[in-house]
């Protein structure tokens, strides 16, 4: 079981809001955050419907397959991106996690960790000017 202190999640959320505000302004920040959180709700709803169609217990799915840390991480970074780059980041993190799972075959996948790794790579590329 992996755990991250709530303090660090609050610090990350504050940094994401500050960076989003600085780079885009308050109105685009609020719009992007709302749209990205709406995307998360849509994806979560779709995933829930899929699990119900497969007749799987939602409690089991969300306790063993998809963790709250993954959802919190996705929500915390929502202010950083416009919707399309946000979806690209999530897809890149899922692809990286899938490749890691195919190689290692662990019991679970630390999706929030892969989101953090892809975000770190993106931030390094943006900061150094590799990716404009």
């Amino acid at each position: 079981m992996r755990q991250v202190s709530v303090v660090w999640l609050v610090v990350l959320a504050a940094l994401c809001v500050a960076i989003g505000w600085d780079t885009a302004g308050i109105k685009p920040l609020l719009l992007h955050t709302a749209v990205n959180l709406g995307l998360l709700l849509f994806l979560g709803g779709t995933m829930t419907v899929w699990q119900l169609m497969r007749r799987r217990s939602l409690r089991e799915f969300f306790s063993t397959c998809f963790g709250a840390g993954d959802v919190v991480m996705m929500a915390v970074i929502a202010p950083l991106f416009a919707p399309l780059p946000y979806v690209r980041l999530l897809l890149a993190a899922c692809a990286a996690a899938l490749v890691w799972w195919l190689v290692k075959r662990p019991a679970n996948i630390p999706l929030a960790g892969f989101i953090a790794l892809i975000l770190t790579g993106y931030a390094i590329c943006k900061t150094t000017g590799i990716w404009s």
Side-chain angles (χ1 to χ4, degrees), residues 18-87:
I19 291 168
W21 191 344
D22 183 53
T23 58
I26 189 67
K27 287 183 182 178
L29 166 80
L30 294 174
L31 178 64
H32 293 160
T33 303
V35 171
N36 290 341
L37 292 177
L39 282 169
L40 285 179
L41 285 173
F42 172 75
L43 292 172
T46 304
M47 196 167 37
T48 301
V49 168
W50 176 253
Q51 294 305 313
L52 290 173
M53 287 173 46
R54 293 180 64 207
R55 294 183 178 16
R56 288 188 68 189
S57 164
L58 290 179
R59 173 171 276 164
E60 175 190 340
F61 175 73
F62 286 107
S63 67
T64 61
C65 298
F66 200 79
D70 301 329
V71 175
V72 170
M73 183 67 171
M74 289 179 209
V76 163
I77 65 167
L80 287 177
F81 299 96
L84 187 58
Y86 181 68
V87 170

Side-chain angles (χ1 to χ4, degrees), residues 70-126:
D70 301 329
V71 175
V72 170
M73 183 67 171
M74 289 179 209
V76 163
I77 65 167
L80 287 177
F81 299 96
L84 187 58
Y86 181 68
V87 170
R88 287 179 184 156
L89 177 96
L90 294 179
L91 287 174
C94 288
L98 182 60
V99 168
W100 178 78
W101 180 81
L102 288 171
V103 172
K104 293 280 192 174
R105 298 288 183 167
N108 54 24
I109 299 172
L111 184 58
F114 280 97
I115 293 170
L117 285 173
I118 298 297
L119 182 62
T120 301
Y122 174 80
I124 289 170
C125 289
K126 288 291 272 189

